[in-house]
């Protein structure tokens, strides 16, 4: 077995080495010298890209692993002959991807992904952009490197493997070794699995892109690539346009000014799952959120807001990019699409704000890291920045610790500096294990804990000089299904609180306009006097053009549309209407379908 294990380790190391050496070559080809990239950054790119390279090498090691498993049951197994064809294929494919990625990047500005397949049906148009010499030289590079790579793998492979007497024990041991290989492919044993975002490590897009394994990027994006524009094609284009136009105005003056300054410091607290079902003034359970209810009276309380989606990865994009949630996909998991979205942080950076994001959990989960860095957050703080003793929650660091960290960070900031911080809480998430015991119901108690942390944090913040120029926005990432005997994904579940408070707020106010979570982006930028026209699914609800209040949300392959006439909720799987209250309304149905179709059209065009 030693010979078999040594071979597999050598194969994995050789493939991994081939991926690692590609990174400095990619950087040099794409002008890293001209860009003044220091030598240390080459090492950082290779170091941070290592895990994704290892995962991709792990995938390619599966076939040799299977061949060796089979060899245990043969007296003489011709391993080299069996794998020669495999070596030729993977060497060619990996090299084509490497050379293609390196060559296309100057034109595209992003890593090779499945969008390349959209151009294969018109190679003439593609080749029109480059010279014949450009193509021939790269084909020669592919040929030479492929031959060298395949030859190297062929040479390190034993020609023949002798059988073993302990076949059953050998097979079991080899299968256990396969478990280790699976962990490498998965990217470890944490909640997050291997994804492009895990290798992002700074705000320099070129360095982040350099760290991404191009083969993984292509395969990962291919698994998520669809013709989104053809999804939910309810209406012809003229009908869709007539229904959709005017629903999401992107201009207009404010009819109400909430702030006493156009450039406050901005803290957005995205509260994990904190739906209106836990806030008594919104019809929720009494006694869960005394602090939030108290703070709502001190600031601007938006009482008729609805979350656009049902999971954190979706709700995060809805909040910070003012973009729709989708019933069948998560945009955050598709970097090729998420990088095209506008963002609050991106707009504020252009206005001179320093930006950072705080989350007590695994920030690599669901490609969150790549989305946040691409959105303009210049510094990320996550679970790995806290000690092991502070990671008491199964998801990471409890809210009392992260709120304390955030308070100390704000306390150190100069009162005259411009900054925007976003903070995603964590403790109000299953399994709801928190260091707090006020309520008997475990779920209610976890949300009460977050409310307690928020109240103490705000009360301490008020004592700081930074409070005077501060705007704090509290908004959940999504709602919560509670109690469980009520219908799932009903409007009550998606109804969420939004509170604006801080020294930058002029006076307490209640805003009861029907709206969505996505509307926070345009409403905030509108109050700051910043153009938000690229946020085409976000409305300034305090603007003069907001004349038709409605809310729209999606859940697992379903959608709902609410306006002053009532609510219509549809299950896309069955095509059935689940809710049509107080009476059926074809207009609500058509507008919901038009928004759903327009959302996928917009995504498909990005």
């Amino acid at each position: 077995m030693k010979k078999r294990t040594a071979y597999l380790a050598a194969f994995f190391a050789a493939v991994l080495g081939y991926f690692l050496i590609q990174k400095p070559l990619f950087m040099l080809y794409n002008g890293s010298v001209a860009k003044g990239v220091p030598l240390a950054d080459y090492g950082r790119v290779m170091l941070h890209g290592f895990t994704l390279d290892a995962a991709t090498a792990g995938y390619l090691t599966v076939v040799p692993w299977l061949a060796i498993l089979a060899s245990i049951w043969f007296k003489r197994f011709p391993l080299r002959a069996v794998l020669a064809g495999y070596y030729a294929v993977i060497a060619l494919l990996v090299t084509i991807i490497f050379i293609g990625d390196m060559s296309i990047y100057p034109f595209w500005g992003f890593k090779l992904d499945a969008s390349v397949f959209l151009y294969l049906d018109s190679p003439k148009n593609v080749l029109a952009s480059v010279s014949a010499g450009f193509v021939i030289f790269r084909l020669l590079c592919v040929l030479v490197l492929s031959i060298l790579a395949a030859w190297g793998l062929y040479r390190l492979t034993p020609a023949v493997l002798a059988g073993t007497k302990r076949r059953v024990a050998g097979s079991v041991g080899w299968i256990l070794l396969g478990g280790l290989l699976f962990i490498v492919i998965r990217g470890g044993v944490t909640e997050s699995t291997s994804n492009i975002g895990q290798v992002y490590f700074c705000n320099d897009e070129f360095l982040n892109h350099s760290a991404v394994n191009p083969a993984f990027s292509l395969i990962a994006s291919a698994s998520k690539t669809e013709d989104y524009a053809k999804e939910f094609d309810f209406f012809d284009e003229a009908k869709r346009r007539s229904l959709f136009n005017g629903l999401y105005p992107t201009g207009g003056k404010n009819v109400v000014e909430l702030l006493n300054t156009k450039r406050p410091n901005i803290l957005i607290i995205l509260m994990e799952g904190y739906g209106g079902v836990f806030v008594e003034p919104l019809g929720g359970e009494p006694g869960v959120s005394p602090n939030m209810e108290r703070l709502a009276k001190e600031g601007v309380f938006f009482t008729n807001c609805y979350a656009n989606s049902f999971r954190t990865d979706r709700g995060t994009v809805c909040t910070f990019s003012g973009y729709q949630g989708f019933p069948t996909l998560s945009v955050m998991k598709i970097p090729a699409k998420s990088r095209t979205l506008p963002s609050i942080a991106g707009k504020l950076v252009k206005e001179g704000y320093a930006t950072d994001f705080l989350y007590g959990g695994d920030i690599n989960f669901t490609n969150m890291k790549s989305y946040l860095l691409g959105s303009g957050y210049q510094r990320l703080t996550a679970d790995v920045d806290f000690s092991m003793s502070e990671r008491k929650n199964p998801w990471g660091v409890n809210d009392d610790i992260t709120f304390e960290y955030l308070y100390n960070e704000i306390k150190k900031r100069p009162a005259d500096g411009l900054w925007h911080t976003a903070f995603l809480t964590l403790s109000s998430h299953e399994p709801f294990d928190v260091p707090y015991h006020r309520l008997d119901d475990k779920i209610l108690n976890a949300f009460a804990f977050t409310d307690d942390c928020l109240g103490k944090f705000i009360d301490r913040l008020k004592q700081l000089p930074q409070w005077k120029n501060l705007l704090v926005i509290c908004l959940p990432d999504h709602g919560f299904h509670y109690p469980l005997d009520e219908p799932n994904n009903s409007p009550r579940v998606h109804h969420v609180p939004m509170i604006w408070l801080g020294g930058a707020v002029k006076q307490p106010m209640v805003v009861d306009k029907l709206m969505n979570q996505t509307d926070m982006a345009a409403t905030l930028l509108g109050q700051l006097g910043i153009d938000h026209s690229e946020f085409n699914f976000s409305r300034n609800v305090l603007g003069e053009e907001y004349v038709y209040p409605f809310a729209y949300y999606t859940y697992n392959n379903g959608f709902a549309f609410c306006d002053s006439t009532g609510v219509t909720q549809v299950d896309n799987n069955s095509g059935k209407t689940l809710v049509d209250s107080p009476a059926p309304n074809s207009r609500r149905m058509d507008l919901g379908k038009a928004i759903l179709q327009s959302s996928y059209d917009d995504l498909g065009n990005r």
Side-chain angles (χ1 to χ4, degrees):
M1 294 298 291
K2 289 183 179 179
K3 187 176 182 180
R4 289 173 166 83
T5 304
Y7 154 71
L8 196 71
F11 175 88
F12 178 85
V15 175
L16 179 59
Y18 190 39
F19 287 142
L20 288 172
I21 199 65
Q22 290 177 7
K23 295 184 177 353
L25 294 176
F26 173 89
M27 295 171 71
L28 290 168
Y29 177 86
N30 284 286
S32 57
V33 175
K35 292 173 181 171
V37 175
L39 188 62
D41 280 345
Y42 289 83
R44 293 170 71 205
V45 164
M46 296 175 75
L47 176 64
H48 287 276
F50 181 86
T51 55
L52 210 55
D53 289 337
T56 312
Y59 277 112
L60 297 177
T61 307
V62 169
V63 170
W65 175 83
L66 287 171
I68 294 176
L69 180 62
S71 75
I72 295 172
W73 296 86
F74 289 80
K75 289 184 178 181
R76 287 176 59 82
F77 189 82
L79 184 65
R80 184 181 286 174
V82 168
L83 292 177
Y86 176 69
Y87 292 163
V89 170
I90 64 170
L92 180 62
L93 290 178
V94 167
T95 304
I96 288 175
I97 292 170
F98 163 52
I99 298 296
D101 174 60
M102 187 167 63
S103 302
I104 291 174
Y105 187 82
F107 300 95
W108 287 7
F110 56 86
K111 294 295 282 186
L112 186 69
D113 61 25
S115 60
V116 68
F117 297 124
L118 300 176
Y119 300 95
L120 294 183
D121 59 350
S122 55
K124 182 179 179 181
N125 293 330
V126 174
L127 296 177
S129 302
V130 294
S131 67
F134 180 95
V135 175
I136 292 171
F137 176 73
R138 280 149 187 80
L139 289 176
L140 288 174
C141 289
V142 167
L143 181 63
V144 172
L145 289 177
S146 298
I147 291 173
L148 290 174
W151 178 81
L153 293 175
Y154 184 82
R155 292 292 300 169
L156 66 79
T157 306
V160 176
L161 289 176
T164 177
K165 294 179 180 179
R166 303 177 64 184
R167 292 176 174 175
V168 174
S171 296
V172 171
W174 201 250
I175 290 172
L176 292 176
L177 183 63
L180 294 177
L181 184 63
F182 171 76
I183 292 174
V184 172
I185 293 171
R186 188 183 182 278
V189 295
T190 59
E191 291 289 343
S192 62
T193 55
S194 296
N195 62 75
I196 290 171
Q198 75 189 49
V199 305
Y200 279 44
F201 65 96
C202 65
N203 289 106
D204 189 320
E205 191 175 62
F206 173 67
L207 295 181
N208 288 332
H209 287 169
S210 298
V212 174
N213 183 291
F216 188 96
S217 175
L218 180 63
I219 295 168
S221 63
S223 68
K224 296 179 175 68
T225 296
E226 301 174 33
D227 190 349
Y228 298 113
K230 290 186 178 178
E231 299 257 351
F232 300 105
D233 231 354
F234 299 112
F235 308 110
D236 61 49
E237 179 55 21
K239 176 73 169 177
R240 181 208 65 79
R241 190 185 305 111
S242 68
L243 288 166
F244 182 77
N245 283 356
L247 293 179
Y248 290 91
T250 57
K253 297 180 180 178
N254 295 325
V255 295
V256 178
E257 296 291 345
L258 301 181
L259 309 177
N260 51 38
T261 173
K262 288 294 185 182
R263 288 297 176 268
N265 292 318
I266 301 166
L267 169 61
I268 299 176
I269 304 177
L270 195 61
M271 305 180 70
E272 169 60 48
Y274 218 116
V277 295
F278 304 113
V279 182
E280 189 173 2
L282 299 185
E285 298 287 329
V288 179
S289 310
N291 291 288
M292 195 178 299
E293 293 161 21
R294 167 175 62 88
L295 296 173
K297 296 175 182 177
E298 299 176 8
V300 181
F301 187 21
F302 295 80
T303 62
N304 217 357
C305 181
Y306 286 79
N308 290 71
S309 196
F310 60 103
R311 289 286 183 270
T312 298
D313 54 324
R314 291 160 161 84
T316 301
V317 173
C318 293
T319 301
F320 296 113
S321 290
Y323 198 60
Q324 290 289 17
F326 292 83
T328 61
L329 60 90
S330 168
V331 181
M332 182 181 281
K333 295 180 181 179
I334 315 174
K337 299 294 184 181
S338 67
R339 66 167 172 256
T340 68
L341 300 179
S343 65
I344 293 172
K347 298 291 285 188
L348 293 179
V349 166
K350 292 179 180 178
E351 298 295 324
Y353 281 73
T355 59
D356 67 288
F357 193 97
L358 169 63
Y359 175 50
D362 181 359
I363 210 158
N364 288 319
F365 195 51
T366 65
N367 263 319
M368 184 184 292
K369 188 177 181 182
S370 66
Y371 167 72
L372 294 173
L373 288 172
S375 295
Y377 286 103
Q378 298 161 333
R379 181 168 63 93
L380 308 180
T381 303
D383 56 352
V384 294
D385 298 300
F386 294 85
S387 68
M388 290 301 297
S389 63
E390 291 174 310
R391 303 183 211 176
K392 298 287 182 65
N393 190 291
W395 284 89
V397 183
N398 269 315
D399 293 346
D400 56 339
I401 297 173
T402 45
F403 268 113
E404 177 68 20
Y405 173 89
L406 179 58
Y407 170 79
N408 289 324
E409 283 290 301
I410 293 175
K411 186 178 180 180
K412 294 184 293 187
R413 294 174 182 174
D416 58 349
L418 277 181
W419 54 266
H420 158 53
T421 295
F423 169 36
L424 172 59
T425 68
L426 177 147
S427 295
S428 50
H429 192 293
E430 57 189 359
F432 308 109
D433 292 331
V434 295
Y436 186 77
H437 308 285
R438 182 167 69 82
L439 301 177
D440 294 332
D441 185 296
K442 191 174 185 180
I443 296 176
L444 297 181
N445 185 69
F447 283 89
F449 172 62
T450 296
D451 175 78
D452 184 70
C453 295
L454 174 66
K456 292 175 179 176
F457 169 75
I458 295 295
D459 288 343
R460 294 175 69 197
L461 211 55
K462 290 176 182 177
Q463 308 306 314
L464 298 179
Q466 287 83 354
W467 178 259
K468 182 179 179 181
N469 193 46
L470 180 61
L471 170 63
V472 182
I473 298 177
C474 301
L475 175 67
D477 54 350
H478 55 80
F480 193 88
H481 183 206
Y482 185 92
L484 296 178
D485 57 355
E486 289 201 1
N488 193 10
N489 294 307
S490 67
R492 184 172 185 269
V493 170
H494 284 259
H495 190 191
V496 296
M498 180 166 69
I499 305 169
W500 293 23
L501 60 147
V505 174
K506 280 186 176 181
Q507 60 188 11
M509 182 184 300
V510 173
V511 178
D512 58 6
K513 290 187 177 183
L514 189 58
M515 62 177 293
N516 270 126
Q517 165 191 37
T518 48
D519 298 325
M520 187 274 284
T523 303
L524 170 62
L525 294 173
Q527 290 293 311
L528 300 179
I530 298 174
D531 175 70
H532 51 85
S533 56
E534 67 267 47
F535 291 75
N536 53 352
F537 286 101
S538 183
R539 305 160 295 180
N540 179 3
V541 300
L542 299 177
E544 61 184 4
E545 292 187 359
Y546 191 58
V547 295
Y548 176 37
F550 70 85
Y552 163 87
Y553 65 81
T554 63
Y555 54 95
N556 190 18
N557 211 4
F559 73 90
F561 184 91
C562 318
D563 65 9
S564 60
T565 68
V567 57
T568 297
Q569 182 183 346
V570 177
D571 173 58
N572 290 324
N573 290 313
S574 64
K576 293 182 179 179
T577 302
L578 304 181
V579 177
D580 228 346
S581 177
N585 185 304
S586 60
R587 177 70 175 172
R588 289 198 305 263
M589 174 74 77
D590 286 349
L591 289 176
K593 287 182 175 180
I595 295 172
L596 182 60
Q597 181 176 342
S598 300
S599 301
Y600 278 87
D601 286 354
D602 183 87
L603 186 66
N605 291 328
R606 288 185 178 274

